[in-house]
Amino acid sequence: MSTDEARPRDAKVGRPPGLVVVLGVLGLAFFAVPFLGLLGRVPWSDLPELWSSDVVVDALRLSLVASVSSTLIALLLGLPLAWLLARVDFPGRSLVRGVVTLPLVLPPVVGGAALLFALGRRGLIGEPLNQATGLVLPFSTWGVIIATTFVAMPFLVITVEAALRNLDRRYEGAAAALGAKRWTVMRRVTIPMIAPSLVAGLVLTWARAFGEFGATITFAGNLQGRTQTLPLAVFVALESDRATAVAISLIMVIVSLAVLVGLRDRWWKAL
Amino acid sequence: MKRDLSIPFLALVVALVACGNGQDGAGLGGELLVSAAASLTDAFVEVEAVFEDANPGVDVVLNLGPSSGLREQILEGAPADVFASANIPNMDQVVEAGEAADPQVFVANRLQIAVPPGNPGEVTELGDFSWEDPLIGLCAEDVPCGEFGRQALQKAGVIPAVDTNEPDVRALLTKVAEGELDAGIVYATDVASSDGAVEGIDIPEDLNVVAEYQIAALTNAPNPDAAARFVEFVLSEEGQEILAGYGFASP
Amino acid sequence: MNGSGLSAHFTLRRSDGFELRLDLEIPAGVTVALLGPNGAGKSTAVAAIAGLLPIDSGSITLDDVVLDDPDRGVFVPAEDRQVGVVFQDYLLFPHLTVLENVAFGLRSRHVGREEAAARAREWISRVGLDDLAARRPGKLSGGQAQRVALARALATDPRMLLLDEPLSALDVTTRSELRHDLANHLTVFEGPRLLITHDPTEAFLLADQIHVIENGQVTQTGSADEIRLRPRTRYAADLVGSNLLMGTARGGVVDIDGRALHLPDQAVDGPVLLTIHPTAISIHQLPPEGSPRNSWETTIDRVELLGSRARVRTSAPLPLTVEVTEEARSALNLEPGSHVWVAFKATEVTVQPDAGS
C-alpha cells in the first residue's frame, strides 16, 4: 500500500457542492440559534447561587438517578427483547415491534396517561398491586424511573435489533464450530461485535430519559426531591422565575453536551 | 357664488369620525386575543359565545393557561388584547411593566377541597392534609391556586404531606377525578364545573382564601376597541350573570 | 488418536429447495477434496458436517461417534463436534487479537487462560507468525489471516479437518506459497481431512481422492489422474482443460453432429463419453496426410497464450481445444479466423461408457 503525502488533495477533489454547504449551514443555524438565545439570557453572575440552591441540586440528582436507572433497566430488558425480535420468528412479531416503537410516536403525555391507566392506584395492574402490597407507583421516584424507561427503552431495542440483524451470523457459526456454547458465543462474539451500536443505543436511551418531561409529570407528578427532575424544575421555574429556569436549562445543556460530545465519531458511526 | 358648505362638511366630519372610531357595536371587527386564567375556561367559553353574538365582526380567541405563564407571555411581547388574571400580583407585574392600566376586579373565587367521588381517602378537612397516607396534590407554588391553597393551610396551622405539585389546576383536577390523588385544593368553580367528576368539601370562612380576579385591556393591544368592549362586557350585569353561573362569586 | 474417520452419507434439502446428496468415506490420514463450481452445494456440505445445519436423512459419523442421524433422533450441535473448520473468508473475530483468536477454541472448552495462551502461541509459531500474536485481524494480509485461521482450527486438537476454500481469497503468488505449507500441515494431521474447493489445481495437489460435485450431486470420484484423464462431465472436462464429447457408438464409430469419429476399439457400441487431450490434437494448414483417422476442416475461434504454450479453440463442426507450442502457433500464423485442419489419431481418443446420460 503506497501513501501519497505530497500535498492535500482536497483542494479540488471531494469538496461538497456549494448548495450542500449552504443548506448544511442553515441546518446548523436551526439548531444553534435557539441555544445562542438561551445563552444570551443566562444570568452569569447569579449562576453559582442559583446552581447551588436545593431545588437545583435535588433536580439534578433525581435526573441523574432516573436517567441512569432507566438506561440500565432498558439494557436488562431491552437487549433480550431485541434479540427475540431479531432472531426468533414468532407469530405476531411485527405487532410486537410496532408496540415497542409506539412510545416513540405517541406524545409523552399520552404515554404518561397510559401508565396511569395501567399502574396508577386505580390501574389495571396498579390496583391489585396496591391492594396486595400497598405499593403506590405514581408520585414516587420509582414512578419517575418507570416513566422515563417507558419512553426511552424503544431507542435501545431498535438500535440493538438493527445491529443484530446486520451482524454476519457466520461468525457465530465459526465460534460454535470452535466449541463455544450459546452463552459463550453471545458473550464473546455477538455482543462485542455489536458493541458500537449497543453503546450508541445506550447513549440515545440515556439522553431521551434525561430530557423526559411529559410522561414524568403526568405519571409521577411533580415534587421537589422525590419526582421533580430537571425538565420539570425548568417548567415550574418558567412560570415564576425566568432566571432560574434559564440557569437550570443551562445545566441540562452542559450535561447533555458532555455526554454526547464525549461519545465521539467512532460510536456515532455505528448508529 | 359662494355656497353654504357647512352642513355637508359637518356631515362628512361626523361620518369620518364615526368610521374612524367604530365605537358602536356594528363597527367592531377582527381578532380579539383574550389571555385568561385556566380556571376561567368554562365561564369564558360562554362569555365568548355571547360576546361574539353581540359583536358579529369580532372573533374571540381564548388563550388559557396559568396566570403566571400568561403574564410572562405578555411581558415577552405576546400580541394579546385582554388579560384576565386569577390573582392580583400577576396583574400588578403587567401593570408595572406598562402593558396594562386600570385593572378591575371582576370576580372572586373561593377555595374548596376536591376529592374523588365517594371520597375514598376519607378526607374531611384541611387537617387531614398532614397525614402521610392519603395522596395529596396541590397546585405548584407559583400558580395562584397553589399560592392560595398554601395560605389556607398555613391559616389552619397544617404542614401538608404533599405528594405532587401540579403545574396547573386542570392537571390537579384530572388526577383527583381519576382517583390517582385522594385530595387537592382547587377553586370552587373547578369543582362546580367538573360535573360531578370531583366532589367538593367546603373550607370554613375563617381559613378560606378568596382569590380576586382582575381583568384589563392591554396597552399595546392590536385590537384596542374590541378589547375595551370585551372588558366592559365582562363587568356588565350580563357578563357577571354568566360568571356566577359557573360558581364565581361577585367581587 | 487414530479413529475410523468420517462416514457421511446423507441428503439435505435447503429452505430454498436445493438438495444436496453426499456419500463420503474418509479414513484417518486421508485428504478428500470436494471439487465443484459455485452453487454446487459445497458450503452446504461444510455446514452439515460442521454441525451448523441438520441433515434430512442418512447419517454423519466421525470416529464411530454419530454426529447426525435424523432417523435415530441424534443431532450433535457444532460446539460438541470436534471438527476443526477453516471457513471461507476465514471469519477471524475482528475484535480479538491473533492470540485470542487462536486461543478461542481452547478458552471455550474451559482451558485456563495461561495454558490456552501458551498452546495458542505454539500454534502461531508453527504457522510462522510469531511476531503477530498481538495484531488484530484487520491488520493482517490475506496469507497471514489464512494461517491464523488454520492455527485457530488446529489448536483445538480436532478429530477432523474441514477446509472451505482455504486458498481462494488469496492472489496467485501467495496461493502457491501457502498451498505448499498447507500440504505439509495436512500430511501431519492424523485425522480425516475434507477440502472444499473450486480450484482443480488445489484439489489435484492436496487431495488423495477427489469428488466432483455439481448441483448437489457428486458426479465423479477418483484420484487426480483419473479425473484428469477421464472426466465424466463437461464441468470436469473444462476443469482439466480437456475435450469431452458425447455420442453413441456403432461399430467403433461415433456420429457427433454429422461428423464421424473413429475410436480405437471397433467393438464399442452404445452411449459413450470421449476424451481427447488438447496436446494430442495437431493443427495443419493443409489437409493432413498420414495415419490420423480423425480430421476435418475448421476455423480458429480463439487463441490463448500461456507462457510458452498456446491454447487454440476451434469452431464448427466440432469445437475443440488444442494445445500447441507458441513457436508452432506463430510459425503457422494461427489467429482467430484462420482456416486450418485439425487431426488426431483414433488411439488418442479415450472412451468411457456413458452410464448416466
Side-chain angles (χ1 to χ4, degrees), chain A residues 161-268:
Chain A
E161 192 200 336
L164 284 173
R165 278 181 186 281
N166 288 332
L167 186 62
D168 188 346
R169 301 202 55 186
R170 294 184 306 155
Y171 285 98
E172 297 174 344
L178 285 166
K181 304 268 193 258
R182 277 186 304 178
W183 194 243
T184 312
V185 174
M186 183 160 21
R187 191 173 51 88
R188 291 201 69 201
V189 178
T190 317
I191 291 186
M193 287 186 79
I194 62 166
S197 289
L198 182 58
V199 170
L202 284 171
V203 172
L204 271 183
T205 305
W206 173 86
R208 179 70 187 87
F210 190 62
E212 169 48 30
F213 172 77
T216 311
I217 199 167
T218 311
F219 180 62
N222 171 44
L223 192 71
Q224 183 187 334
R226 206 195 293 171
T227 56
Q228 188 177 70
T229 53
L230 281 171
L232 268 59
V234 171
F235 184 70
V236 169
L238 269 176
E239 319 243 322
S240 60
D241 183 0
R242 283 271 155 129
T244 309
V246 171
I248 303 176
S249 304
L250 190 60
I251 296 181
M252 291 198 67
V253 169
I254 291 175
V255 173
S256 308
L257 272 182
V259 173
L260 296 172
V261 168
L263 192 54
R264 315 271 167 115
D265 266 338
R266 190 156 84 104
W267 303 116
W268 282 116

Side-chain angles (χ1 to χ4, degrees), chain A residues 168 170-171 173-182 184 188-189 192-193, chain C residues 52 78-80 83 87 89 91-95 104-105 107-109 152:
Chain A
D168 188 346
R170 294 184 306 155
Y171 285 98
L178 285 166
K181 304 268 193 258
R182 277 186 304 178
T184 312
R188 291 201 69 201
V189 178
M193 287 186 79
Chain C
L52 299 168
E79 56 263 29
D80 296 324
V83 174
F87 290 91
D89 303 334
L91 299 182
L92 297 179
F93 305 123
H95 57 288
F104 188 89
R107 298 282 295 131
S108 300
R109 280 157 221 245
R152 184 174 73 171

Side-chain angles (χ1 to χ4, degrees), chain A residues 37-233:
Chain A
L38 185 69
L39 281 179
R41 286 297 183 97
V42 172
W44 298 102
S45 47
D46 296 328
L47 271 186
E49 191 191 318
L50 287 170
W51 277 357
S52 50
S53 72
D54 49 86
V55 169
V56 172
V57 169
D58 281 338
L60 180 60
R61 181 183 52 82
L62 272 174
S63 275
L64 289 174
V65 165
S67 58
V68 171
S69 306
S70 287
T71 309
L72 290 174
I73 296 176
L75 179 63
L76 186 64
L77 298 180
L79 182 52
L81 179 57
W83 189 283
L84 290 175
L85 284 172
R87 294 284 169 90
V88 180
D89 194 3
F90 56 89
R93 182 161 66 160
S94 309
L95 184 62
V96 170
R97 197 180 287 122
V99 168
V100 166
T101 324
L102 219 48
L104 290 181
V105 177
L106 286 179
V109 174
V110 174
L115 283 172
L116 270 180
F117 298 149
L119 299 172
R121 273 197 323 179
R122 301 267 195 85
L124 197 61
I125 302 192
E127 191 167 5
L129 187 63
N130 185 18
Q131 279 168 359
T133 63
L135 191 63
V136 175
L137 287 171
F139 315 118
S140 68
T141 309
W142 273 109
V144 177
I145 295 175
I146 290 173
T148 49
T149 309
F150 180 78
V151 300
M153 189 156 87
F155 283 96
L156 188 76
V157 177
I158 289 182
T159 320
V160 172
E161 192 200 336
L164 284 173
R165 278 181 186 281
N166 288 332
L167 186 62
D168 188 346
R169 301 202 55 186
R170 294 184 306 155
Y171 285 98
E172 297 174 344
L178 285 166
K181 304 268 193 258
R182 277 186 304 178
W183 194 243
T184 312
V185 174
M186 183 160 21
R187 191 173 51 88
R188 291 201 69 201
V189 178
T190 317
I191 291 186
M193 287 186 79
I194 62 166
S197 289
L198 182 58
V199 170
L202 284 171
V203 172
L204 271 183
T205 305
W206 173 86
R208 179 70 187 87
F210 190 62
E212 169 48 30
F213 172 77
T216 311
I217 199 167
T218 311
F219 180 62
N222 171 44
L223 192 71
Q224 183 187 334
R226 206 195 293 171
T227 56
Q228 188 177 70
T229 53
L230 281 171
L232 268 59

Side-chain angles (χ1 to χ4, degrees), chain B residues 4 8 14 18 22 26 38-39 50 56 58 84 92 96 125 131-132 138 153 158 163 167 179 189 203 208 217 220 242:
Chain B
D4 188 0
V14 170
S39 46
V50 174
V58 182
D92 278 347
E96 246 177 70
E125 49 157 19
W131 303 121
E132 269 302 326
L138 295 179
L153 285 165
V158 172
D163 291 287
T189 48
I203 297 176
N208 210 327
N220 292 320
I242 297 175

Side-chain angles (χ1 to χ4, degrees), chain C residues 8-335:
Chain C
H9 305 270
F10 63 88
T11 42
L12 197 164
R13 178 173 275 108
R14 276 201 325 231
S15 55
D16 60 2
F18 180 91
E19 189 175 283
L20 169 70
R21 223 209 112 85
L22 265 194
D23 285 284
L24 287 175
E25 284 286 337
I26 311 180
V30 172
T31 307
V32 167
L34 203 56
L35 173 65
N38 289 329
K42 308 196 301 281
S43 305
T44 311
V46 172
I49 296 173
L52 299 168
L53 262 186
I55 59 181
D56 290 308
S57 67
S59 70
I60 302 178
T61 312
L62 178 59
D63 288 347
D64 296 321
V65 175
V66 177
L67 297 180
D68 197 346
D69 189 340
D71 291 332
R72 280 198 265 164
V74 178
F75 179 78
V76 176
E79 56 263 29
D80 296 324
R81 279 203 189 188
Q82 297 191 292
V83 174
V85 188
V86 175
F87 290 91
Q88 204 171 11
D89 303 334
Y90 317 132
L91 299 182
L92 297 179
F93 305 123
H95 57 288
L96 298 177
T97 61
V98 164
L99 183 66
E100 288 167 335
N101 261 282
V102 176
F104 188 89
L106 294 167
R107 298 282 295 131
S108 300
R109 280 157 221 245
H110 307 293
V111 173
R113 195 177 290 262
E114 266 138 39
E115 193 192 330
R119 283 162 68 173
R121 277 189 208 281
E122 242 181 76
W123 275 105
I124 293 175
S125 201
R126 250 186 263 189
V127 294
L129 295 174
D130 296 90
D131 308 325
L132 300 179
R135 195 78 64 96
R136 294 261 151 138
K139 298 261 174 24
L140 296 174
S141 70
Q144 290 165 338
Q146 196 269 356
R147 286 183 274 169
V148 174
L150 187 59
R152 184 174 73 171
L154 289 171
T156 57
D157 228 357
R159 289 187 165 279
M160 98 168 257
L161 254 193
L162 181 51
L163 304 154
D164 187 0
E165 308 271 11
L167 302 172
S168 307
L170 305 169
D171 65 81
V172 176
T173 340
T174 326
R175 202 181 298 179
S176 2
E177 281 168 27
L178 287 179
R179 193 185 300 136
H180 187 72
D181 289 340
L182 188 55
N184 290 339
H185 285 291
L186 285 178
T187 336
V188 170
F189 184 75
E190 289 175 355
R193 319 131 193 169
L194 179 58
L195 170 71
I196 316 280
T197 182
H198 68 272
D199 179 1
T201 322
E202 210 168 290
F204 292 161
L205 290 178
L206 296 173
D208 303 308
Q209 194 189 63
I210 301 175
H211 293 235
V212 180
I213 181 170
E214 294 170 63
N215 239 338
Q217 309 279 327
V218 172
T219 52
Q220 188 171 5
T221 47
S223 68
D225 285 334
E226 281 164 18
I227 311 269
R228 198 188 355 235
L229 295 178
R230 266 175 270 271
R232 292 189 62 85
T233 63
R234 170 115 296 132
Y235 167 70
D238 286 340
L239 268 190
V240 301
S242 200
N243 291 293
L244 180 72
L245 300 165
M246 295 175 251
T248 312
R250 247 179 281 278
V253 178
V254 182
D255 187 299
I256 303 178
D257 287 342
R259 200 81 247 139
L261 275 184
H262 297 265
L263 306 178
D265 186 348
Q266 301 208 308
V268 178
D269 281 309
V272 283
L273 295 173
L274 309 176
T275 330
I276 312 138
H277 203 271
T279 51
I281 307 172
S282 50
I283 301 185
H284 308 259
Q285 285 181 319
L286 296 169
E289 288 171 4
S291 56
R293 309 277 328 271
N294 297 309
S295 72
W296 57 80
E297 189 180 0
T298 182
T299 35
I300 295 185
D301 210 9
R302 265 202 321 273
V303 177
E304 215 183 302
L305 294 172
L306 297 164
S308 58
R309 290 174 301 148
R311 286 174 80 81
V312 177
R313 186 96 184 133
T314 63
S315 60
L318 275 181
L320 289 176
T321 302
V322 185
E323 205 172 286
V324 295
T325 60
E326 167 54 20
E327 256 181 80
R329 189 208 69 79
S330 60
L332 291 173
N333 211 9
L334 299 178
E335 297 175 336

